[in-house]
Each structure stands twice: as structure tokens, then as C-alpha cells.
Amino acid sequence: ELQPGQWIAIVGCGGLGQYAVQYAKAMGYNVIGVDISDESLDSAKEYGADAIFNLRTQADTYVEEIRSLSGKGVHAAAVFSGANAAYDGAIPLLRTNGLLMVVGITREPLQISPIDLITGRYRIKADSTGVPQRMPKAVAFTAKHNIQPNVDFRKIEHLPAMVDDMRNGKARRRQVVTFD
């Protein structure tokens, strides 16, 4: 629903968020990366984010800085994190009638204010990122714009450590097992 030149916040810049930054830049959007990991934010900047903000270290200032940078707030915030706190932190970034994109799956239900929806404070949209019918178009767009993942290649014997890293939030890149 965005037009080139509009602002989008990518909340959760690891994994799928790294792709999202690249796709958003390829579509001509102004991109703000938001995360709690400096490493993930550095990757977002490498992939073209116009600005990055750490929700943990900039907790007192990030909302006002993003609203100022984007002129009244972002047009959309796409949340790729599975943390409820990521959604809570994304909503204040939106301008009036901004779009909250639900992608990350949380363990607990989201806390959404009906009054905010009724009064047009923001809108919500959700989508599955892996619909097979869309894959050919997505693959073609990915190839056309040379969108690349940030990958760690590891041997099969490192699989238990990889799983532990993912469970503990330490995996900052896509994990790929190589069979040598």
C-alpha cells in the first residue's frame, strides 16, 4: 500500500527483517531499521536502511526521533519479530492512519486498542510470507534487485549449537548447514 518515497519501519532486522530492508529499498521506500541488536541494525544499515534505532539503548528517544525524521510518523511499520514488545514499540511510530503489518508470530495475543482502530489511529494488516503462488514473482523480484541474505555456513556437527543460538536469540544471520 505504500508509494515510493514514503517511510516504513522494519521492526526486527534479523532473518526476514534483513530481506524486508532490501525489498523496501528496491521498492523505493525510505527505510528505518528498528531492533534491540546492534549487529542486526548494522546489517540493516549495510542493506540500505536510511536510519537505524536500537529500542533498548534509545528507549527514551527513538519514538520522537523517528516521528521527527519521517514527518509525523512512518506510513507503515512491518514487525518481523515474534516479541510482543516489538509490536508495542511499533505502534507509536505510526502516523495517523498508518499501517501496522503483522508478520512476526508472538506467543501471547497482541494487545490492540479497539478505540485506536475505530478512530483511525492506525490500521492492521497481516500476511503470510510463504504463499507458494507468490513465489515465482518474489524470486524474480529478488533476482532483479540482487537481494541477498546474510548467511552463516556451518557444518552438520554444529547443528545443536545452531539450534541453541536460534532459541536463545543469538543467531543474527540465516543458518545454513553444509554437508562436506
Side-chain angles (χ1 to χ4, degrees):
E1 296 181 21
L2 296 183
Q3 300 300 314
Q6 290 185 321
W7 289 92
I8 185 169
I10 304 298
V11 182
C13 293
L16 288 177
Q18 293 175 7
Y19 283 110
V21 169
Q22 294 177 74
Y23 279 106
K25 288 307 295 180
M27 292 176 185
Y29 306 149
N30 295 312
V31 178
I32 298 173
V34 181
D35 206 299
I36 59 171
S37 162
D38 286 334
E39 187 173 318
S40 292
L41 290 168
D42 289 344
S43 291
K45 193 70 170 168
E46 279 179 37
Y47 287 125
D50 298 285
I52 54 174
F53 292 88
N54 187 313
L55 292 176
R56 191 172 280 157
T57 62
Q58 296 172 282
D60 296 335
T61 61
Y62 80 94
V63 172
E64 197 54 46
E65 289 181 40
I66 290 173
R67 290 183 67 77
S68 175
L69 175 66
S70 60
K72 300 181 186 175
V74 296
H75 297 88
V79 182
F80 290 87
S81 170
N84 287 73
Y87 285 96
D88 295 342
I91 291 170
L93 305 179
L94 294 166
R95 64 182 53 213
T96 300
N97 202 36
L99 179 63
L100 177 66
M101 281 295 303
V102 177
V103 183
I105 301 171
T106 61
R107 291 183 185 195
E108 299 295 323
L110 295 178
Q111 298 298 310
I112 303 298
S113 166
I115 194 77
D116 285 347
L117 297 176
I118 292 166
T119 60
R121 164 74 182 84
Y122 59 90
R123 299 169 292 129
I124 299 175
K125 186 174 182 179
D127 208 352
S128 173
T129 57
V131 178
Q133 293 83 354
R134 286 194 237 152
M135 287 299 117
K137 185 177 177 183
V139 169
F141 187 89
T142 301
K144 178 181 178 182
H145 295 282
N146 195 31
I147 293 170
Q148 298 290 322
N150 196 348
V151 177
D152 280 338
F153 293 97
R154 299 178 62 186
K155 296 182 179 187
I156 188 69
E157 55 266 19
H158 297 129
L159 186 58
M162 292 167 62
V163 171
D164 286 342
D165 286 350
M166 288 186 282
R167 283 188 177 144
N168 296 320
K170 294 180 182 176
R172 300 294 176 216
R173 295 174 184 82
R174 292 306 218 188
Q175 303 292 302
V176 175
V177 176
T178 58
F179 298 89
D180 295 331

